[in-house]
């Protein structure tokens, strides 16, 4: 808890007011008092923040005071918090990205050096080729296990969940940042087919969170939940743009994969941050003499006058269809691999040690890609970046003059080599992205799509060497253009995004194939969405993170189905007639973060909701012997509540060992008064127990307990379709259901999810209140009727090591 100078005990009691609400006060006046009390509470918090700033300035020397004044009254007031925050975030992420790329490149060059130059003995070369990546993966797994398990995986599925309003504990901390950066460098440095884009989005969000929490001038940004989410959305954009130097595609891609609904007012933040990050990222190559000027990462020189024959659009359309089928197959295969290892891994000794599965996968990949064996038929010595440069080559490989391309792909022939590469990349990427290390999926499938497009382009060139229309008006086929279309289509199919088309334009600097790319991407998305969810939604389902399924055309009946058909009717609530004993039992048997409050159990008139932490303090106050002290919510508790509010909290660390509980910001077990408060001095145990039992039978005093008088609620005849829209638009986790002002139920995110996925069957021939509970299959959430479900099975490693 922060310390403030000259702070008295009266100042500590920021929730207890001198004049409480009279017991017989009407509901309207009570709600008005609660609103007035909450406003005073917020004002007190603002005063404490100002006092802290004043103490900081007064405690420093004249130089620090002048610097702080210049920063606060000139820089912040002139440019604004958001502009400077986005600028600083973009620059810092560009520097981190450039440094990570340098480290990854050196690790990969070391691997190739060990193979090429260290020895000529074939056995030693094989050992060096396999042992070096194995050591890198072991080190990466060790870093993740020791520092932070939250660094495992991509990070985009979790960020999509966080932007929906769910809090994952310790997911945006500096420990996770260190673990993610170091682990990603060594996992990519090993040469496995994994990517950087997803983990770097996670890194950008961590940097955004740390800047907002630790830089004094930016704390105001993160004191508001809405602005915090907006800054995290901008961080997602800069994470993509600093990976591909594609600011426009980065913003659009981040919106597509992380947001169901996007606030247009946040558009400029994403673009400004992405442009700053991309500019500095590319300028670093100029400043380090790697490039003469700012260029695209993979420049191409396709013919702009006649880039393709109109009849080739048929081939591009077929490519999009096949890419959609391939993308859906990849998502399906990845999910099956994860379930196989999770459910049957103990039978093949994969759960005995957390290093066994990564080591087995790494050895298999390195053995197959060994350049003196099968690797010679699939470009085994090439890194993913080198492979992509070859795929985007302007000339056909059958007539190219590039000796490097001939040396890698001409043996035995380009078609066999490309086919081997595609099959190997497809299978091994599905395995490698399931490893318990930082690993992204976008770049490997991007390279895979480019190889698939290159194969089709080379086939078209061999079938039509003089173009489709022979003669004077013939247009020669460009296989590199097919590689660009294949990369965009396949990656778009796996991620269910259209923005991959923009990313390839910014990567290659060419827009001559804009029509083929858009046609292929749209067809690939249509085919993939019809068959499988996106790779990120699939991981969300695998980890059992809360999510809102999309409504497809087959769900048009939702217009005629109502929330009363799927809501929970067994509500846990408190009323103005509840006794302290009832409140104590409710707190002991549940771990919900908030509770609905009604007038009484007969009328069930809905008055609002009360947070758990306030209810706990009110109960402590009621059970304080002779009311000697008045426990209340401390300043630290209120700052924690201001940060999280009523959003569900997921303890990601505990996910490794089992189910995850959501708990209040400062939750304490409300046990017996003897255990918590102890018997006061001078009072016998008999007298105290008699007083305690009598106190438990008294009505609970809610007059000094802040209440939310307007929680989100729906009438029972609201259609499920409208409820789904509101849950997605407002990032809701739950809603109270009322009928003529009476509380009749509560609906959470899981009710909508269960219904859309077929786990709740509605019998429209019977009244909802008379339906058999066996008609629905509810999740084991540790109880029913809560405003927010209490537990989730969250597995950030994909594989739970026991």
């Amino acid at each position: 808890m922060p310390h403030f100078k000259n702070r008295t005990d009266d100042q500590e009691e920021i929730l207890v007011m001198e004049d409480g609400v009279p017991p017989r006060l009407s509901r309207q006046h009570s709600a008005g008092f609660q609103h007035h009390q909450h406003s005073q509470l917020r004002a007190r918090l603002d005063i404490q923040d100002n006092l802290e700033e004043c103490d900081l300035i007064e405690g420093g020397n004249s130089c620090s005071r002048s610097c702080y004044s210049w920063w606060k009254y000139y820089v912040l007031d002139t440019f604004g918090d958001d502009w400077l925050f986005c600028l600083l975030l973009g620059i810092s992420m560009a520097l981190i990205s450039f440094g990570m790329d340098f480290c990854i490149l050196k690790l990969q060059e070391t691997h190739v050096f060990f193979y090429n130059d260290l020895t000529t003995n074939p056995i030693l070369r094989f050992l060096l080729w396999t042992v070096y990546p194995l050591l890198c993966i072991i080190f990466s797994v060790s870093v993740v296990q020791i520092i932070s398990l939250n660094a495992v995986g991509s990070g985009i599925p979790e960020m999509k969940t966080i932007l929906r309003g769910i809090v994952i504990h310790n997911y945006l901390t500096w420990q996770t940042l260190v673990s993610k950066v170091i682990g990603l460098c060594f996992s990519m440095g090993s040469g496995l087919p994994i990517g950087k884009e997803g983990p770097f989005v996670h890194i950008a969000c961590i940097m955004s969170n740390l800047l907002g929490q630790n830089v004094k001038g930016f704390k105001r940004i993160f004191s508001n939940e809405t602005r915090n989410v907006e800054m995290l959305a901008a961080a997602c954009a800069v994470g993509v743009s600093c990976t591909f130097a594609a600011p426009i595609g980065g913003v659009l891609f981040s919106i597509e994969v992380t947001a169901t609904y996007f606030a247009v007012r946040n558009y400029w933040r994403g673009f400004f941050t992405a442009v700053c990050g991309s500019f500095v990222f590319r300028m670093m190559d100029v400043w380090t003499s790697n490039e003469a000027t700012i260029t695209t990462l993979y420049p191409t020189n396709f013919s702009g006058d006649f880039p393709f024959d109109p009849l080739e659009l048929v081939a591009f359309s077929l490519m999009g269809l096949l890419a959609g089928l391939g993308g859906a197959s990849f998502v399906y295969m990845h999910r099956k691999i994860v379930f196989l290892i999770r459910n049957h891994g103990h039978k093949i000794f994969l759960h005995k040690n957390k290093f066994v599965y990564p080591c087995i996968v790494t050895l298999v990949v390195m053995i197959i890609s060994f350049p003196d064996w099968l690797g010679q038929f699939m470009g085994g010595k090439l890194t993913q970046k080198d492979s992509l440069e070859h795929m985007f080559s302007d000339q056909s490989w059958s007539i190219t003059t590039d000796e490097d391309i001939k040396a890698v792909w001409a043996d035995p022939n380009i078609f066999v080599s490309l086919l081997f590469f595609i099959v190997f990349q497809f299978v091994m990427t599905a395995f490698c992205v399931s490893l318990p290390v930082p690993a992204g999926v976008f770049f490997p499938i991007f390279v895979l799509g480019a190889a698939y497009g290159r194969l089709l382009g080379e086939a078209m060139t061999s079938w039509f060497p003089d173009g489709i229309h022979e003669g004077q008006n013939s247009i020669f086929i460009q296989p590199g253009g097919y590689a660009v279309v294949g990369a965009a289509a396949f990656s778009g199919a796996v991620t269910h995004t259209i923005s991959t088309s923009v990313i390839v334009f910014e990567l290659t600097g060419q827009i001559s194939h804009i029509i083929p790319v858009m046609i292929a991407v749209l067809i690939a998305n249509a085919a993939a969405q019809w068959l499988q969810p996106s790779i990120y939604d699939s991981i969300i389902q695998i980890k059992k993170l809360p999510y809102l399924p999309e409504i497809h055309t087959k769900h048009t009946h939702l217009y005629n189905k109502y929330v009363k058909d799927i809501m929970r009717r067994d509500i846990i609530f408190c009323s103005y007639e509840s006794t302290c004993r009832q409140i104590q039992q409710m707190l002991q048997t549940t771990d919900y973060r908030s509770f609905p409050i009604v007038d009484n159990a007969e009328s069930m008139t809905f008055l609002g909701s009360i947070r758990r932490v306030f209810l706990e303090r009110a109960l402590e106050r009621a059970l304080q012997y002779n009311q000697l002290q008045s426990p209340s919510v401390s300043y630290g508790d209120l700052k924690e509540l201001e940060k999280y509010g009523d959003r569900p909290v997921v303890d990601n660390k505990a996910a490794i060992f089992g189910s995850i509980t959501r708990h209040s910001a400062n939750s304490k077990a409300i046990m017996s008064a003897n255990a918590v408060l102890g018997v006061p001095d001078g009072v016998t145990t008999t007298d105290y127990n008699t007083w305690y039992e009598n106190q438990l039978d008294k009505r609970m005093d809610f007059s000094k307990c802040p209440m939310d008088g307007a929680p989100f609620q729906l009438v029972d005849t609201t259609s499920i379709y409208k409820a789904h829209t509101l849950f997605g638009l407002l990032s809701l986790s739950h809603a109270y259901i009322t009928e003529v002002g009476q509380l009749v139920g509560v609906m959470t995110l899981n009710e909508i999810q269960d219904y859309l996925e077929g786990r709740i069957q509605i019998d429209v021939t019977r009244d909802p209140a008379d339906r058999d509970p066996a008609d629905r299959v509810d999740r084991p959430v540790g109880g029913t009727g809560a405003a927010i479900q209490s537990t989730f099975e969250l597995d950030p490693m994909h594989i739970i090591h026991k």
Side-chain angles (χ1 to χ4, degrees):
M1 172 180 162
H3 173 72
F4 299 98
K5 295 184 178 179
N6 303 321
R7 189 173 182 184
T8 64
D9 292 337
D10 293 333
Q11 289 174 321
E12 175 72 19
E13 193 66 17
I14 60 177
L15 279 184
V16 180
M17 304 188 63
E18 292 77 12
D19 297 321
V21 177
R24 298 298 179 184
L25 203 60
S26 65
R27 289 193 301 271
Q28 291 83 357
H29 288 83
S30 176
F33 173 82
Q34 298 291 358
H35 176 73
H36 173 71
Q37 187 181 26
H38 190 72
S39 300
Q40 286 196 353
L41 177 62
R42 297 270 64 81
R44 298 287 288 272
L45 290 176
D46 293 339
I47 292 174
Q48 296 292 358
D49 286 335
N50 294 334
L51 288 175
E52 186 178 16
E53 288 187 8
C54 293
D55 291 345
L56 176 64
I57 297 176
E58 292 175 0
N61 53 34
S62 58
C63 180
S64 62
R65 290 197 301 270
S66 61
C67 291
Y68 182 81
S69 300
W70 176 83
W71 168 265
K72 183 175 179 61
Y73 297 106
Y74 292 96
V75 179
L76 292 182
D77 292 345
T78 301
F79 298 100
D81 297 355
D82 292 0
W83 289 94
L84 289 174
F85 182 87
C86 293
L87 176 63
L88 183 59
L89 178 62
I91 294 175
S92 60
M93 292 313 302
L95 297 176
I96 294 176
S97 179
F98 184 82
M100 290 180 61
D101 286 347
F102 178 81
C103 295
I104 294 170
L105 178 62
K106 293 303 179 184
L107 288 171
Q108 292 176 345
E109 288 179 349
T110 303
H111 187 205
V112 176
F113 169 78
F114 284 164
Y115 169 78
N116 286 332
D117 304 327
L118 200 61
T119 181
T120 57
N121 187 297
I123 297 179
L124 291 179
R125 296 175 77 179
F126 175 78
L127 292 176
L128 291 173
W129 179 263
T130 55
V131 171
Y132 178 83
L134 194 62
L135 294 177
C136 289
I137 288 297
I138 291 175
F139 184 79
S140 180
V141 174
S142 302
V143 168
V144 169
Q145 294 291 325
I146 294 173
I147 302 178
S148 176
L149 287 173
N150 291 321
V152 170
S154 169
I156 289 182
E158 290 80 5
M159 288 312 306
K160 186 174 184 177
T161 303
I162 290 175
L163 292 177
R164 274 217 78 260
I166 307 298
V167 177
I168 302 180
H169 271 315
N170 302 321
Y171 199 72
L172 300 176
T173 60
W174 68 268
Q175 293 95 334
T176 306
L177 175 66
V178 174
S179 180
K180 197 85 172 185
V181 170
I182 299 177
L184 182 60
C185 288
F186 279 88
S187 61
M188 289 193 66
S190 66
L192 295 181
I194 55 179
K196 170 189 172 186
E197 175 255 357
F200 204 72
V201 169
H202 185 194
I203 293 172
C205 292
I206 297 175
M207 282 297 300
S208 175
N209 187 62
L210 294 179
L211 286 175
Q213 290 181 349
N214 299 309
V215 178
K216 186 65 180 178
F218 297 143
K219 287 187 177 181
R220 290 183 295 178
I221 295 177
F222 282 76
S223 63
N224 183 279
E225 179 183 342
T226 302
R227 294 187 71 190
N228 184 14
V229 172
E230 291 175 351
M231 292 304 173
L232 289 178
C236 293
V238 74
V240 179
S241 64
C242 285
T243 304
F244 301 114
I248 301 176
V251 173
L252 298 179
F253 184 84
S254 66
I255 293 174
E256 287 189 279
V257 299
T258 61
T260 305
Y261 296 92
F262 187 78
V264 178
R265 67 175 180 273
N266 196 39
Y267 225 33
W268 71 267
R269 294 185 180 91
F271 273 111
F272 180 72
T273 311
V275 169
C276 292
S278 298
F279 173 75
V280 176
F281 178 66
R282 295 304 293 149
M283 282 300 298
M284 291 297 295
D285 281 330
V286 177
W287 294 333
T288 54
S289 301
N290 292 332
E291 298 285 350
T293 184
I294 296 179
T295 60
T296 57
L297 288 180
Y298 301 96
T300 57
N301 295 300
F302 302 145
S303 174
D305 296 331
F306 303 101
F308 57 89
D309 191 288
L311 287 179
E312 290 183 69
L313 293 177
V314 177
F316 291 129
S317 300
L318 179 61
M319 179 187 296
L321 178 61
L322 295 178
L325 297 177
S329 301
F330 178 86
V331 175
Y332 178 80
M333 181 178 180
H334 169 263
R335 186 165 60 252
K336 289 302 180 181
I337 289 173
V338 173
F339 287 150
L340 175 66
I341 301 302
R342 172 183 289 178
N343 299 330
H344 305 288
H346 62 281
K347 298 180 181 179
I348 51 179
F349 308 105
L350 296 183
H351 279 168
K352 289 185 177 291
N353 190 290
K354 58 182 67 69
F355 294 94
V356 173
Y357 177 62
C359 290
I360 292 177
V361 173
T362 304
L363 283 175
V364 172
V365 172
M366 290 300 114
I367 290 174
I368 296 177
S369 63
F370 182 55
D372 292 345
W373 192 44
L374 294 179
Q376 62 183 316
F377 306 125
M378 61 181 70
K381 290 193 296 184
L382 297 180
T383 64
Q384 292 188 88
K385 183 177 180 180
D386 295 335
S387 298
L388 191 60
E389 290 178 349
H390 286 188
M391 300 301 170
F392 288 163
S393 175
D394 302 332
Q395 291 182 324
S396 173
W397 288 357
S398 58
I399 60 173
T400 185
T401 57
D402 192 330
E403 296 298 330
D404 292 335
I405 294 180
K406 289 183 178 181
V408 174
W409 304 102
D411 186 19
N413 62 70
I414 57 176
F415 298 104
V416 173
S417 297
L418 282 172
L419 187 60
F420 277 10
F421 179 84
I422 291 172
V423 174
F424 172 78
Q425 187 86 354
F426 187 93
V427 176
M428 289 297 101
T429 299
F431 276 96
C432 290
V433 296
S434 66
L435 297 179
V437 295
V441 69
F442 184 86
F443 196 71
I445 62 174
F446 193 82
V447 176
L448 176 60
Y452 154 69
R454 189 78 197 193
L455 177 63
L456 184 57
E458 293 292 345
M460 290 288 293
T461 302
S462 64
W463 294 334
F464 305 99
D466 296 324
I468 295 179
H469 290 98
E470 297 182 4
Q472 186 176 1
N473 297 324
S474 64
I475 300 175
F476 291 100
I477 295 174
Q478 303 183 40
Y482 282 78
V484 170
V485 176
F490 193 82
S491 57
V494 174
T495 59
H496 288 191
T497 57
I498 309 297
S499 57
T500 54
S501 58
V502 182
I503 292 178
V504 297
F505 298 148
E506 294 183 282
L507 274 177
T508 61
Q510 296 283 337
I511 61 172
S512 58
H513 284 73
I514 183 172
I515 294 179
V517 166
M518 292 304 301
I519 291 176
V521 169
L522 290 173
I523 294 176
N525 266 270
Q529 291 181 20
W530 183 62
L531 295 172
Q532 290 290 327
S534 71
I535 184 66
Y536 303 122
D537 289 338
S538 177
I539 294 175
I540 287 176
Q541 296 175 20
I542 290 172
K543 294 186 176 183
K544 293 182 170 49
L545 291 169
Y547 73 101
L548 190 65
E550 296 182 2
I551 292 182
H552 301 287
T553 54
K554 64 181 180 180
H555 293 142
T556 54
H557 63 281
L558 296 181
Y559 291 99
N560 302 321
K561 299 296 184 292
Y562 306 108
V563 296
K564 64 182 179 182
D565 297 321
I566 63 174
M567 68 181 182
R568 295 182 181 271
R569 294 179 175 272
D570 46 346
I571 315 166
I572 297 177
F573 63 90
C574 52
S575 70
Y576 279 142
E577 296 181 353
S578 298
T579 64
C580 293
R581 188 185 304 275
Q582 293 172 334
I583 299 299
Q584 184 188 60
Q585 292 175 352
M586 184 178 66
L587 294 174
Q588 287 177 344
T589 56
T590 64
D591 57 359
Y592 306 137
R593 291 174 52 81
S594 63
F595 300 90
I597 184 169
V598 299
D599 193 5
N600 55 69
E602 289 74 24
S603 66
M604 291 296 290
T605 302
F606 185 50
L607 303 180
S609 64
I610 298 179
R611 295 178 182 175
R612 182 186 186 92
V613 64
F614 295 148
L615 204 57
E616 289 175 346
R617 295 301 186 271
L619 182 61
E620 289 183 28
R621 188 183 306 114
L623 298 181
Q624 188 71 30
Y625 186 73
N626 287 338
Q627 305 297 316
L628 296 178
Q629 298 180 2
S630 298
S632 65
V633 180
S634 66
Y635 176 80
D637 298 333
L638 264 295
K639 296 303 287 185
E640 186 77 6
L641 286 172
E642 179 73 9
K643 178 179 179 182
Y644 293 128
D646 271 336
R647 292 182 289 163
V649 178
V650 179
D651 188 357
N652 203 21
K653 180 178 179 180
I656 308 304
F657 307 100
S659 64
I660 307 308
T661 60
R662 308 182 192 197
H663 49 80
S664 61
N666 190 24
S667 179
K668 292 183 178 179
I670 307 298
M671 306 302 289
S672 66
N674 295 54
V676 176
L677 302 175
V679 179
D681 296 337
V683 180
T684 63
T685 303
T686 303
D687 293 341
Y688 181 80
N689 289 336
T690 302
W691 172 88
Y692 177 70
E693 292 297 325
N694 293 333
Q695 197 72 11
L696 285 177
D697 292 330
K698 292 183 179 181
R699 285 189 178 183
M700 185 73 179
D701 182 14
F702 294 100
S703 62
K704 299 178 181 180
C705 188
M707 180 181 69
D708 182 5
F712 190 83
Q713 54 186 294
L714 298 169
V715 297
D716 60 338
T717 55
T718 303
S719 67
I720 297 178
Y721 182 87
K722 180 183 288 187
H724 179 279
T725 303
L726 291 173
F727 268 66
L729 182 61
L730 303 177
S731 298
L732 300 174
S733 60
H734 68 286
Y736 297 107
I737 312 301
T738 60
E739 179 183 7
V740 197
Q742 293 182 333
L743 180 66
V744 295
V746 63
M747 186 176 68
T748 67
L749 198 64
N750 280 345
E751 270 67 60
I752 299 179
Q753 178 182 339
D754 289 343
Y755 176 69
L756 293 180
E757 295 179 352
R759 288 188 290 270
I760 295 180
Q761 301 296 330
I762 297 178
D763 185 357
V764 297
T765 63
R766 286 182 289 171
D767 183 82
D770 299 330
R771 290 174 190 156
D772 189 353
D775 290 342
R776 58 180 292 154
V777 181
D778 287 329
R779 297 171 181 269
V781 295
T784 60
I788 303 176
Q789 285 194 342
S790 59
T791 63
F792 291 105
E793 292 182 7
L794 182 61
D795 180 14
M797 297 178 61
H798 294 193
I799 303 168
I800 300 178
H801 296 285
K802 298 179 181 180

